[in-house]
């Protein structure tokens, strides 16, 4: 993703982001046509299906709101995006800020854990109470100055991370 500030006050939780909405491309572009004068490649006469392995699905940090208007209580969030074609269970995935825990998904009975294919998952922080409702809510808060937010899968491997600083204005999300 190319990161920038949101064009929508308070961000766009669980919705396509305003900043890069037209810049995101899912999948690979088709191969270029053959150069003029060159014959197209020969077609296979095999009856066996040919397939290309599907790319591994990724869960990405797609938006964060850490400096809400009028205070952070009930408003901070980290939004995740599944860019794959299959749903993913996020049970035991974790978010950290500068190596400090923000929360482990599925560690509380009320947590949702599934992120749908090409869907969003909202982790509400600082007792998030906004709209739309978060899939997971935690009491911890993000720093308003600078931090690195990292997402770890259930095996502990880093799935994604993003760093931010105090350049975002109050009420703007970083997406």
């Amino acid at each position: 993703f190319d990161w920038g500030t949101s064009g929508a006050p308070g961000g766009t939780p669980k919705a396509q982001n305003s900043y890069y909405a037209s810049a995101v491309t899912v999948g690979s572009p088709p191969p270029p046509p053959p150069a003029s004068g060159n014959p197209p490649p020969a077609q296979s006469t095999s009856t066996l299906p040919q397939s290309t392995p599907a790319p591994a699905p990724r869960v990405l940090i797609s938006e964060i709101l850490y400096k809400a208007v009028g205070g952070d209580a009930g408003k901070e969030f980290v939004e995740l995006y599944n860019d794959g074609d299959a749903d993913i269970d996020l049970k035991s995935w974790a978010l950290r800020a500068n190596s400090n825990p923000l929360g482990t998904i599925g560690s509380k009975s009320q947590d949702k854990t599934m992120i749908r294919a090409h869907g969003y998952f909202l982790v509400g922080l600082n007792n998030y109470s906004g709209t739309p409702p978060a899939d997971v809510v935690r009491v911890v808060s993000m720093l308003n100055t600078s931090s690195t937010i990292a997402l770890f899968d259930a095996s502990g491997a880093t799935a994604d991370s993003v760093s931010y600083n105090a350049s975002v204005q109050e009420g703007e999300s970083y997406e």
Side-chain angles (χ1 to χ4, degrees):
F1 287 123
D2 292 324
W3 286 86
T5 57
S6 174
T12 56
K14 285 194 169 180
Q16 187 173 28
N17 291 342
S18 60
Y19 178 76
Y20 66 86
S22 62
V24 173
T25 303
V26 177
S28 302
S36 62
N38 293 334
Q43 297 295 317
S44 170
T45 57
S46 170
T47 58
L48 296 175
Q50 295 182 359
S51 64
T52 302
R58 296 181 308 163
V59 177
L60 306 169
I61 299 170
S62 56
E63 184 177 11
I64 55 176
L65 178 65
Y66 58 90
K67 193 186 317 185
V69 172
D72 296 337
K75 301 173 190 171
E76 291 184 346
F77 65 83
V78 175
E79 178 193 77
L80 307 177
Y81 178 72
N82 175 358
D83 79 346
D85 293 330
D87 298 350
I88 297 174
D89 188 354
L90 299 177
K91 184 168 177 54
S92 299
W93 287 48
L95 281 168
R96 294 184 170 273
N98 296 335
S99 301
N100 297 312
L102 291 176
T104 299
I105 298 169
S107 64
K108 296 187 178 194
S109 62
Q110 65 270 27
D111 289 355
K112 294 179 183 172
T113 62
M114 291 300 282
I115 184 170
R116 301 284 177 219
H118 302 286
Y120 297 94
F121 190 92
L122 193 61
V123 178
L125 301 171
N126 204 345
N127 289 314
Y128 180 85
S129 58
T131 302
D135 298 297
V136 169
V137 176
R138 297 294 183 264
V139 298
V140 68
S141 181
M142 291 183 280
L143 295 173
N144 286 346
T145 52
S146 66
S147 187
T148 296
I149 306 298
L151 174 66
F152 297 91
D153 67 18
S155 74
T158 303
D160 196 19
S161 67
V162 62
S163 295
Y164 65 85
N165 58 38
S167 66
V168 173
Q169 299 299 309
E170 183 177 279
E172 292 181 335
S173 67
Y174 193 51
E175 53 184 34

